[in-house]
Every structure is written in C-alpha cells, then in structure tokens.
Amino acid sequence: MNLDGETNLKIKQGLEVTSSLQGDLNFQKFNATVKCEDPNANLYSFVGSMEFEEQKYALSPQQLLLRDSKLRNTDYIFGAVIFTGHDTKVIQNSTDPPSKRSRIEKKMDRVIYFLFCILFLMAFVGSIFFGFITKNDLQNGSMKRWYLRPDDSTIFFDPKRSAAAVLFHCLTALMLYGFFIPISLYVSIEIVKVLQSIFINQDIHMYYKEADKPARARTSNLNEELGQVDTILSDKTGTLTCNSMEFIKCSIAGVAYGRGTTEVEKAMDRRKGSLSIHGHDIELEEDDIRGSLDKKPLIKGFNFADERIINGNWVNEPHADVIQKFFRLLAVCHTAIPEVDEDTGNVSYEAESPDEAAFVIAARELGFEFYKRGQTSLSTHELDPVSGKKVERKYKLLNVLEFNSSRKRMSVIVEDEEGKIFLLCKGADSIMFERLAKNGRQFEEKTMEHVHEYADAGLRTLILAYRELDAEEYKEFDNKFSKAKNIVSADQEILIEEVSDKIEKNLILLGATAVEDKLQDGVPDCIDKLAQAGIKIWVLTGDKMETAINIGFACSLLRQGMKQIIIHLDTPEIQALEKDGDKMAIAKASRQSVLLQISEGAAQLTAYRGSSQQAFSLIIDGKSLVYALEDNMKNMFLELAIRCASVICCRSSPKQKALVTRLVKSGTGKTILAIGDGANDVGMLQEADIGIGISGVEGMQAVMSSDIAIAQFRYLERLLLVHGHWCYRRISSMICYFFYKNITFGFTLFLYEVYASFSGQPAYNDWFLSLYNVFFSSFPVIALGVFDQDVSSRYCLKFPLLYQEGVQNVLFSWRRILSWMLNGLISALIIFFFCTKSIELQAFDVEGRTAGKDILGATMYTCVVWVVNLQMALAISYFTLIQHFFIWGSIGFWYLFLLVYGAMPPHFSTNAYKVFIEALAPSPSYWIVTFFVVISTLIPYFSYSAIQKRFFPMYHEIVQWIRYDGNIKDPEFCDMVRQRSLRPTTVGATARLAAKAHHIRNRNVNRR
C-alpha cells in the first residue's frame, strides 16, 4: 500500500547510470553524493541531484521510494536512506484526526448540566429548610424533634450551630441526590454503540461480493448521527460512477468512430422523449454492437465497436496514416507497465489511472500492442499496413514530461528505429487546441464538434497530437531540461514546466479519445430513496460542466422542466480580459460577474415562489466558486444553494470541496455527510459531520480518513434509512429512559427525606442504592439500545419519510426529554405516596406489627424496580428473547438478591437482614401494595401513549398501524402515505415521474 493510499501502480526506477550495479561487489568502491530539498509533506515532488563519477544526475519522485510502499515487478533493490524518523513523508503527513461527536451526545451533556442544576437547587432548598427546622428544634427547653435529642446533639442537629448544619446537610444531600445524575449512561451508551457498529459491519446487505468488502464502521461515535443527515455532499468519479474506464469512442482525422451508446445518452433519449420515436434504430444499433462483441469475450476497459477500425480494417480508411499515428501514440505515450502471462502469452497492464489503462488496452485490441518496457525503451507489436502482419517495433524513451493538475497534459519524447525523434502529447482540450501549429489544425473544427458531443454523452475526453523534432532542437531542449532537473531549489518545478512548455508547441492534431465512466449499480434508485427521505444531495466534481450535467440527468438529480441556474465565467468580457492578462482587472470583473449571477438566481427563485411545482437546480464551475466562497459572498451563495433542489459544483479542487463542506455545515447548522473515494476527497470527508469513504479503485486514502467505509454508493441507502434511523431512535429512547428511571428513583429519595424532616436519612439500604443502576435497571435499557425497531428494515425502505424523524430530531427534542422527566416525577410521587399511605398506620403482617423504615424502603424499592422495567416493556416496539430475559431477569434478580443479601450476617446486611423472608414475603399487604402501586404508576403513561397513537400518531406509528391493519398489501393506500415524501424540490426518478404527471394534467386542463 502506498503512502497516499492509492492502489494504482507508480513507476519507481533507479538512474540509468547506476542500473548496472546489481551485486554486492559492485558497491565496494561506490561513491556518490546526494543533495536534496529539506524534509516536507509533499508526496508528489522530490527535488534533488546525485553526483557520481564527477557527473550530476537529477533525482525525481521516480527515484524516491516512500516508507510504507510495496515493490512489485522486481526481486530486490539497493538504495540509500534519504529521510528517517520524523523527516519521513509519512510522519510529515500525519495529523491528529478531527474530533467528531454527535449532536445527541452534545445535547445530552446539556441535559446533564440541567440535572446538575436541579440537584444543587434541591440540595440548597432542602438545606435551608433543614436549617430553619434545626434552629427551632429547641426553644425554651421544649424539644420539637425530641427523638433527635437536639439538646445533646452533634453539629448536624445542633440548634445552636444551624449555619454549620446547613452546610453539612447540603453536602449530604448532594451525595444522596446524586442518583439524579445517570453516570452509568455514558458507559451504557458506549457499549450500545459498539454493538450497533458490529451490526453495521455484519450487515450482509451492505457486503460487496465482487470485491469481498463489507461495510466498516471505523468509529462508533456517530451511529445516531447517521439518522439525522440533512445534506449529502458527494464526489462523482468513483463515487456515483465506477471509475472503471471503458474506451468507447474516438475521433480521428475529423471522423467519429465507435457505435456504442452510453448510459447518459440513453437517459438523454428518455429525457427528450425520443426513445420511443427512435427506439427501433437504437435497438438495431445495439444489436449490431452486441453481435460484434459476442464474437469475442468482453474485455475490461474496452467497449469499442466499429467495423471500420477493428480487425485491421483501419488500413482501408482515407486517413490510414493518421489512424496509425493515433493508435501508436496511445501505445507509447503512457507510464503503464506490461505483465505478460507466461502460459498464455496474454499481456495485461498496471497503470497509474484507469484512463491510461483503457488507452493502452484499446491500442492493443486495435493492433498496437505494447508488451515490454525497459529502463530507456518501449517495445510494441504493430500491424504493418503494407504487409498486413504484426511487426515488432522498438522506441527509445528519451524523456517523460509528466501529467499534473496545472499542465493537464502528458508528453513523451521517443526516437524510433529510423532515428526520427517525436514528441507525443495527450491532454485536455482547453490546453491542447491552443498548442496546435497552423499546419496542424486540419481536423480542428470537426474534432471540437465531436469532443462536445462526447461531453454531452457523459464521456471523458482527451486530445492527441504530435510533432517531429530535429536533432538540434531536441539537443537544446534536453540540455535545458537536464539543468532544470539538477537544480535543488523550490523553483525546480517552475523551471521544468517552462522548459516543457516551450517544446510542447506547434503540435499536429490527430484526434480525440472518449472513455466512459459508468454509473455504479443502483445509484439512481439510491438517490431516489434518499431524496424521498428529504435528504438534499450536492455533487462536487472536478469534471467538465457538460459531463457533470449529463451525469446529473442520468442519475435523476436533474430532470426536464427543472430550471437551471448556471454560474460560470466563460463570458466574452472575461475572456477578453484574460487575453490582456491584467490579473487585477480579471479578478474584479469575475467577482462582479459571480455576484450578479447569484443575485439573478435569487431573483428567479423569488419570482417563482408562488409556483409550488417549479424546481430549481444550481450549477457552478470551479472558477466562479473561488469568488462565491469569499467572505462577503458566501452567505448569498449558500442561501441560493439551499433553496435549490440540487446543486452541482464542477471543476472543483480538493480545497474547494472542503470549503463548500465547511460552509454548508456552519451555515445550515444541520448534519452534513460527505462521501468520496479518492485522496482528493479527504478534506471534504474530514470537514463533514460524517465522512463516508468508498473503498473503490482509487485506493484507500478516502477510507483511511473516513468514519464509515462502504464499497458502493448504493449501500448509503441502507446505511442511512435503516441503520441510521434505528440507531437514532434507539439512542434517543435509551437516553430519555435513563433520565426517566433515574429521576423516578432519585425523587423517591428526595420525597422520603422531606418526609423525614430533611434529616439526610436514605430511604433504602446502601447496597440497594449502589446496585440500582448496575443490576436492576441497566440491562433492559442496553437491550433497547441494541435491538429495538419501530418498523422493520423493509418498511424503513418502503416509507423513506420515516427518516425525517431524525432530521427534525422529534425523538430527542427538549419537549420529549422534559416529558420523560415529568413522567419520572409523576411515577416517583405515585410510588412514594401510595406506598407510605397504604402501609403507614395499619398492621403490616398477621401478628399486627406495623411497617418500619426497612419494610417501607424495601417495598418502595420493589415498586420502583417493577415500574421502571415494565415502563421499558411498554416503550419497546420490537420484543426479542434477549429483551424478555433482561426485563423479567432484572425483576427476578431483585427478589433473588433480597433473599441472598438478607441471609447474610446482620453486620453485613444491616437493616435488610431477613427482611424478605420474615417480613415481606409472608405479608399479603406487601404483594397487594406492589401490584396496585405498579399498575397505578403505569396508567398515566399508558393512557397518554394510547391517546397519542390513536389520534395524533407520528409517522412511524402510522406505518405501524398500516402493518397492524393489514393495509401493507394495498398499493394505492401505501402510495398515498408515501406521497408525503414528494415535494417539488425533491429529486430522483419518482419525483421526475410525479413532475411529468403533473405537467400532463396541467396540459390537459389548459386544453379544456
């Protein structure tokens, strides 16, 4: 695995001058000096030189092997260590991962602070009352609380030292009422989240069999946050698409070749309504293609069909010489490494990118097979147009001018067997056309036309061109290039680029390639479900605007009839300024243009505010985004974007992706999820509340920086709508129940202390107090957090609007939290007063004895254990055997504990000594009181719950009623319930059909 996380192979070669040193003995007299740049974090550059035998040789990243890399295609190497320890790139790139906590956890902290305030208030008020009572205990020799002997008491009850008594009582009360604070909640939540993460990891429906990759929750902190996502920011290439490129079309000498139909073209035909009109032609064409492909097995990376080119037929084309140069360039201009199968003789390729692999495979399939790479040479098998046979050709590799994001092109300089020197170049159309010679533009107009057609079809295009160099011109270039590479300074890259720029001019155009990056399986359906769930989806991509728009249509993020607000800087005014080169004027004009376009877009939205059925989309390019993200404009841009149904940011840099994510997160205050698959998505993933990494073909960098890893975009549907919804509901219910059970228990202690004249006397035995949150009430709530389901996974996916309960946070609002606390307060009042009044005065057993403090405490405790566990049973929607075991087991364990603890010696069991065997169990009053108190305590919650579910049901309760009434098999009824998911601002296939149906209805009404 490489340090940058990418799986694509990168060429690492020693210098040619040292390539002959292949044994230990050769290094006996080896003496060289390496001079290089200081340690830095840049993975893709290395500036240095090596002095060997009085000659200076430039060192590049190609000669630098990074720590944590793996070598292939070589048995061993000899090397010198350049950087160690903290100077290595891996340490230079190591940063502390961002700390992420869910909104529920942060809110839970505030609730805990609120409970602390109540605790201190109760302790303070109780202490004041205690001080007044203590001060008045002894007046004129009369003792009000004679049993406390205030005339002969310690500080705690001394009437003469009431101020000190207040302070001591306050400390006692703080410890006694400490059960209001659910300290065990944090431990329980961590246990539950770990178990929830295991369920996510083991979900067979999110397992990608082809790559043998399950889902992986890399952190358990954010499980419930998955159920509250408001906006998804997605990369396109490798995330929505496969990033598995297929050579499908090309334009050579102004002639378009390739008869395949892309998925985007099919979507465009459907969009224009032409599929039914031209359907017959399309089917015939596809049948022809399928017939030609059926003759030989499908080849990964090659989906090209055209009888004019394949099987050597290109030799009969009018421009056969141009076609030969075109495919020769594809076979030679690259950094791929061939691997020959010794058994079959078949050649496969390891390339730095899927595009490059597709080009080399296409050249091989069309008669130009690259099969061998040496230190300074390339070998191919080419179809000779004269003899019609394959001949071997060898090219001397003189220089490689590597691709980077600013150059947007790659060139190689080679010398053929006849001694001719050629510069072969491929790059983006925006760069290449301006580098053509006057005599090299013969096919420019037609090629540009084809490139635009390919972009409209969602294809990625590159322009191919070449020029022949004379020996003197090359010698001059090589000297300058070598000098630039030997300079050890920060300017090395700039100097190399200047030298390269001068030679990559006066090119002769050959044509253009077009490769397809298909949508991943299930992407349109996934987007449709997420949109029905009310989740907004933005796409941030580095692709061209035309390609991004057409992919948007293919996956139903855009649709016919949706008004597009396009913000760009390709205006004649800006282009004129760019020719002049005045940077200040360009920046000023660009800023004003973007501001004007944002204002016009906002005006359009305002004008259509009355039209409830009109949807808008926002499309913005990378140049415009630079200005839209400035401090004085970003809020306007955000306001415009969040009012649109879909947003697509084209030509976005990795930094812009991160800045947009930060803007949406801080500007909306909602939960933001980012999903991507490459190293360029890392900033976006770390900036978002939740980062989802796709373990695709671009490597593991995104996965290593993510919170959760999945193999395909379509698994996001189940991750959010099922696991997200369940985890949010479980954690919310679990926390609310924790507050309920602790307030129920803690408030009975407070009421007893009021009853006992604020004496600081606990109602329960010390061990009863200690074990309440450990054995008698915690296990059922953990089972709730792990297993409870309001509806099954099938219904979660069938009714996506269930997800909005998490987005709107209806299950963990202050209203719901306080209502559970009120329920706990009511339960404590009923338990305390019913228990005390029912056993206070009358005989408790057959012998006529009245109940003492130990009997009252044990009875109240029994009622508390029953009530909190049965309350849990009422709150559970989905019972499992484990939940039954924990609920009834907790109650049963209480009785078992009473027996065992009561049987221990009195000095250990204190006031619980044989209290159950001798006092509680034989007394009918104990069982009758327990039964009636428990039923009475549960009646308020049961009544409220029954009324609310029947007359004011929440969305999940509506779905539960549908299932209970058997309406789930009625498609019309289910569709009616699901229609609540659809709004004019919804994207996806379902919303597209709904919009189309609405348009047809309006058209029919207008005709009448």
Side-chain angles (χ1 to χ4, degrees):
M1 182 175 67
N2 268 344
L3 179 59
D4 63 358
E6 307 303 324
T7 57
N8 299 319
L9 205 65
K10 296 172 178 59
I11 294 178
K12 298 291 179 183
Q13 284 183 327
L15 294 172
E16 186 181 357
V17 70
T18 60
S19 61
S20 60
L21 305 175
Q22 296 184 2
D24 294 349
L25 295 174
N26 296 122
F27 287 91
Q28 282 183 335
K29 296 180 180 179
F30 179 79
N31 186 19
T33 303
V34 173
K35 294 181 181 178
C36 67
E37 63 187 355
D38 291 333
N40 60 70
N42 196 329
L43 300 178
Y44 307 105
S45 72
F46 178 69
V47 179
S49 65
M50 185 176 78
E51 292 181 11
F52 177 59
E53 294 180 348
E54 298 182 355
Q55 287 287 324
K56 205 175 197 180
Y57 302 94
L59 298 174
S60 70
Q62 203 171 36
Q63 281 82 50
L64 185 69
L65 191 63
L66 299 179
R67 177 177 162 183
D68 289 344
S69 299
K70 285 186 179 178
L71 282 171
R72 291 182 60 184
N73 302 313
T74 188
D75 295 324
Y76 60 90
I77 62 163
F78 292 95
V81 177
I82 302 297
F83 300 128
T84 61
H86 288 277
D87 293 342
T88 58
K89 302 273 187 184
V90 67
I91 301 297
Q92 293 279 323
N93 276 275
S94 63
T95 56
D96 293 330
S99 177
K100 296 183 181 181
R101 291 186 74 209
S102 70
R103 280 170 166 72
I104 285 184
E105 275 195 6
K106 293 173 184 175
K107 191 169 186 176
M108 183 179 74
D109 290 344
R110 294 196 291 273
V111 178
I112 296 291
Y113 299 149
F114 173 68
L115 287 177
F116 266 112
C117 292
I118 293 176
L119 171 62
F120 280 102
L121 181 64
M122 288 168 57
F124 177 74
V125 171
S127 299
I128 296 298
F129 273 99
F130 177 73
F132 280 117
I133 295 169
T134 302
K135 188 174 183 180
N136 297 327
D137 255 353
L138 188 63
Q139 289 185 349
N140 302 322
S142 173
M143 293 181 289
K144 289 186 178 180
R145 294 189 295 181
W146 52 268
Y147 50 87
L148 295 176
R149 291 300 305 275
D151 58 328
D152 185 28
S153 63
T154 58
I155 296 174
F156 204 90
F157 295 105
D158 189 351
K160 297 174 184 177
R161 303 175 68 181
S162 57
V166 168
L167 178 61
F168 282 109
H169 180 273
C170 188
L171 295 174
T172 303
L174 286 174
M175 289 187 286
L176 187 60
Y177 306 155
F179 293 94
F180 272 94
I181 311 301
I183 302 300
S184 60
L185 172 59
Y186 287 94
V187 177
S188 301
I189 282 180
E190 288 306 316
I191 293 170
V192 165
K193 285 186 175 183
V194 168
L195 293 173
Q196 287 175 348
S197 298
I198 291 171
F199 285 162
I200 291 173
N201 296 344
Q202 293 184 343
D203 190 341
I204 193 67
H205 298 289
M206 294 195 293
Y207 171 69
Y208 188 46
K209 191 174 181 181
E210 283 185 34
D212 188 27
K213 289 179 180 174
R216 278 282 174 264
R218 293 167 49 81
T219 176
S220 61
N221 281 358
L222 305 172
N223 294 352
E224 66 274 25
E225 199 87 330
L226 291 169
Q228 296 183 280
V229 174
D230 178 76
T231 305
I232 293 173
L233 305 180
S234 174
D235 176 40
K236 182 188 79 68
T237 305
T239 304
L240 298 176
T241 59
C242 297
N243 200 17
S244 177
M245 308 299 176
E246 288 188 339
F247 187 92
I248 190 168
K249 294 183 180 184
C250 60
S251 169
I252 310 174
V255 181
Y257 296 99
R259 304 190 186 281
T261 306
T262 68
E263 289 183 10
V264 172
E265 285 177 310
K266 293 172 187 174
M268 288 168 67
D269 285 330
R270 284 195 295 270
R271 190 164 86 241
K272 294 172 183 174
S274 62
L275 190 62
S276 56
I277 299 169
H278 305 292
H280 182 64
D281 296 336
I282 292 172
E283 285 175 14
L284 285 175
E285 187 177 290
E286 288 184 346
D287 285 343
D288 291 340
I289 294 165
R290 204 175 292 115
S292 63
L293 291 175
D294 285 344
K295 295 175 184 177
K296 59 180 181 179
L298 292 172
I299 298 159
K300 185 179 179 182
F302 186 74
N303 190 20
F304 181 86
D306 194 320
E307 66 283 352
R308 295 173 294 173
I309 292 284
I310 59 176
N311 299 324
N313 293 338
W314 60 266
V315 298
N316 302 318
E317 287 293 288
H319 296 285
D321 59 327
V322 179
I323 296 173
Q324 182 185 34
K325 290 172 182 172
F326 182 92
F327 288 114
R328 182 178 287 166
L329 191 152
L330 287 182
V332 175
C333 183
H334 56 78
T335 57
I337 295 175
E339 292 183 351
V340 181
D341 189 318
E342 294 180 1
D343 297 327
T344 62
N346 294 334
V347 183
S348 59
Y349 303 104
E350 288 283 358
E352 288 191 22
S353 69
D355 310 58
E356 196 162 78
F359 295 144
V360 186
I361 290 168
R364 180 192 69 194
E365 295 303 313
L366 296 171
F368 294 77
E369 182 184 57
F370 162 60
Y371 73 93
K372 185 179 179 183
R373 177 184 288 276
Q375 186 84 2
T376 58
S377 65
L378 296 167
S379 299
T380 62
H381 289 137
E382 297 181 10
L383 180 68
D384 183 32
V386 178
S387 65
K389 296 180 180 179
K390 278 198 173 184
V391 295
E392 182 179 336
R393 298 201 187 278
K394 191 172 183 179
Y395 298 90
K396 186 177 181 182
L397 185 62
L398 301 175
N399 300 97
V400 177
L401 311 181
E402 295 181 355
F403 175 90
N404 63 41
S405 56
S406 59
R407 281 168 44 78
K408 295 183 181 177
R409 63 190 183 276
M410 175 206 173
S411 302
V412 296
I413 300 176
V414 296
E415 183 180 335
D416 67 7
E417 293 168 333
E418 297 172 3
K420 293 180 179 179
I421 300 172
F422 293 95
L423 182 142
L424 310 177
C425 186
K426 61 184 181 186
D429 53 8
S430 58
I431 298 293
M432 294 294 288
F433 282 123
E434 65 189 30
R435 298 184 169 276
L436 298 178
K438 287 183 180 179
N439 64 342
R441 298 177 179 267
Q442 182 182 353
F443 316 115
E444 182 182 12
E445 190 176 334
K446 278 288 184 182
T447 304
M448 285 183 74
E449 185 182 318
H450 294 152
V451 165
H452 290 309
E453 287 176 9
Y454 296 155
D456 288 340
L459 300 174
R460 296 160 69 103
T461 58
L462 279 181
I463 305 300
L464 273 59
Y466 82 102
R467 66 173 290 202
E468 187 175 348
L469 305 175
D470 59 53
E472 285 298 319
E473 185 182 9
Y474 172 71
K475 187 176 180 181
E476 182 184 351
F477 159 79
D478 191 43
N479 288 333
K480 290 180 180 177
F481 191 68
S482 298
K483 283 180 182 177
K485 288 181 75 175
N486 282 324
I487 293 172
V488 182
S489 74
D491 299 331
Q492 190 200 52
E493 270 190 48
I494 298 169
L495 294 170
I496 290 174
E497 194 162 327
E498 286 177 359
V499 175
S500 303
D501 192 61
K502 289 177 183 177
I503 199 77
E504 292 172 322
K505 288 182 178 177
N506 301 320
L507 303 175
I508 297 170
L509 178 66
L510 295 174
T513 61
V515 294
E516 181 182 18
D517 187 9
K518 289 187 175 181
L519 283 176
Q520 289 183 13
D521 291 342
V523 165
D525 292 338
C526 176
I527 287 175
D528 187 33
K529 279 288 171 63
L530 294 174
Q532 287 185 55
I535 300 172
K536 305 176 191 71
I537 301 169
W538 294 26
V539 175
L540 311 178
T541 177
D543 275 344
K544 293 179 187 173
M545 186 174 285
E546 298 85 353
T547 306
I549 288 173
N550 286 306
I551 290 291
F553 276 109
C555 59
S556 298
L557 279 172
L558 304 175
R559 63 173 179 266
Q560 198 71 13
M562 181 183 278
K563 290 194 175 293
Q564 295 180 6
I565 300 171
I566 299 177
I567 300 175
H568 63 91
L569 291 174
D570 293 332
T571 60
E573 296 82 4
I574 303 292
Q575 288 172 346
L577 287 171
E578 285 176 344
K579 286 181 180 177
D580 294 339
D582 187 346
K583 291 184 178 180
M584 294 289 287
I586 293 169
K588 185 178 179 181
S590 299
R591 191 174 288 107
Q592 289 174 346
S593 175
V594 171
L595 182 60
L596 179 64
Q597 290 178 73
I598 290 174
S599 301
E600 288 175 350
Q604 281 188 59
L605 283 163
T606 304
Y608 278 92
R609 184 174 288 175
S611 175
S612 61
Q613 293 299 322
Q614 184 58 59
F616 286 82
S617 61
L618 174 64
I619 299 150
I620 183 169
D621 66 7
K623 287 182 182 177
S624 306
L625 206 53
V626 171
Y627 302 100
L629 292 173
E630 289 181 349
D631 289 341
N632 60 342
M633 212 185 300
K634 64 182 181 182
N635 290 329
M636 289 178 62
F637 167 66
L638 179 63
E639 187 180 346
L640 172 65
I642 59 179
R643 291 169 64 189
C644 294
S646 61
V647 179
I648 298 176
C649 301
C650 316
R651 294 294 195 192
S652 306
S653 67
K655 186 176 180 181
Q656 285 178 327
K657 290 182 179 183
L659 289 174
V660 169
T661 306
R662 183 184 300 173
L663 175 64
V664 179
K665 184 173 76 169
S666 60
T668 63
K670 303 288 183 66
T671 301
I672 306 301
L673 181 146
I675 180 168
D677 72 316
N680 60 335
D681 302 316
V682 168
M684 177 174 74
L685 299 185
Q686 293 189 334
E687 194 66 51
D689 293 302
I690 308 169
I692 305 289
I694 290 187
S695 47
V697 298
E698 278 200 31
M700 299 298 291
Q701 182 76 341
V703 169
M704 290 188 292
S705 303
S706 68
D707 303 303
I708 297 172
I710 55 178
Q712 295 273 285
F713 183 87
R714 67 177 184 267
Y715 298 145
L716 196 60
E717 175 188 346
R718 186 172 180 86
L719 183 66
L720 298 187
L721 302 191
V722 178
H723 290 285
H725 174 71
W726 282 349
C727 289
Y728 166 73
R729 176 181 173 77
R730 288 164 177 170
I731 295 292
S732 301
S733 302
M734 176 183 173
I735 296 171
C736 288
Y737 176 78
F738 245 101
F739 292 142
Y740 161 78
K741 76 182 185 67
N742 276 56
I743 286 175
T744 300
F745 183 64
F747 212 76
T748 56
L749 287 167
F750 175 73
L751 291 172
Y752 183 81
E753 219 220 340
V754 174
Y755 189 68
S757 204
F758 293 103
S759 61
Q761 178 66 45
Y764 310 121
N765 179 281
D766 289 344
W767 278 100
F768 294 0
L769 293 170
S770 300
L771 298 180
Y772 175 74
N773 277 321
V774 180
F775 291 118
F776 305 135
S777 61
S778 285
F779 289 113
V781 76
I782 290 174
L784 166 81
V786 176
F787 298 107
D788 194 39
Q789 301 174 11
D790 53 348
V791 296
S792 68
S793 60
R794 186 162 64 96
Y795 292 123
C796 285
L797 298 173
K798 193 177 182 71
F799 300 97
L801 198 61
L802 280 166
Y803 189 80
Q804 276 297 306
E805 291 185 347
V807 178
Q808 297 170 16
N809 200 21
V810 296
L811 299 180
F812 201 64
S813 61
W814 276 106
R815 179 181 174 184
R816 190 172 178 86
I817 293 166
L818 293 175
S819 67
W820 271 98
M821 290 182 177
L822 178 63
N823 186 24
L825 176 61
I826 292 169
S827 297
L829 288 169
I830 294 173
I831 290 170
F832 177 77
F833 284 109
F834 278 32
C835 284
T836 54
K837 296 304 177 184
S838 61
I839 64 175
E840 185 177 31
L841 300 175
Q842 66 274 20
F844 186 75
D845 57 21
V846 293
E847 295 181 8
R849 288 176 293 194
T850 56
K853 169 182 166 295
D854 51 350
I855 292 175
L856 175 61
T859 305
M860 282 171 50
Y861 198 96
T862 302
C863 292
V864 168
V865 170
W866 271 97
V867 165
V868 297
N869 281 286
L870 291 184
Q871 175 71 68
M872 168 63 64
L874 289 176
I876 285 174
S877 300
Y878 177 73
F879 270 102
T880 63
L881 189 62
I882 294 173
Q883 284 161 313
H884 277 292
F885 174 77
F886 280 140
I887 289 171
W888 307 116
S890 296
I891 296 170
F893 187 72
W894 159 241
Y895 289 109
L896 179 64
F897 174 76
L898 264 182
L899 282 170
V900 175
Y901 182 57
M904 292 181 180
H907 69 273
F908 188 81
S909 57
T910 62
N911 63 346
Y913 180 66
K914 295 193 176 179
V915 70
F916 184 68
I917 296 173
E918 294 183 356
L920 300 179
S923 171
S925 299
Y926 169 74
W927 301 106
I928 293 169
V929 166
T930 300
F931 178 78
F932 281 104
V933 169
V934 170
I935 297 299
S936 302
T937 307
L938 294 174
I939 283 174
Y941 172 81
F942 183 80
S943 303
Y944 168 81
S945 183
I947 293 169
Q948 183 260 320
K949 285 183 179 179
R950 190 65 189 173
F951 299 106
F952 312 101
M954 297 171 70
Y955 195 77
H956 73 272
E957 290 164 345
I958 294 174
V959 176
Q960 288 172 344
W961 276 114
I962 291 173
R963 183 187 174 202
Y964 178 77
D965 293 337
N967 289 326
I968 199 68
K969 295 181 180 177
D970 185 348
E972 290 185 8
F973 187 80
C974 291
D975 285 342
M976 182 183 71
V977 175
R978 279 202 298 268
Q979 282 301 312
R980 291 173 59 179
S981 302
L982 300 177
R983 297 174 303 285
T985 54
T986 307
V987 297
T990 307
R992 186 185 69 223
L993 293 173
K996 189 174 182 181
H998 178 80
H999 175 71
I1000 292 170
R1001 282 197 300 271
N1002 285 348
R1003 188 173 61 189
N1004 292 338
V1005 169
N1006 292 334
R1007 282 177 180 173
R1008 291 174 190 168

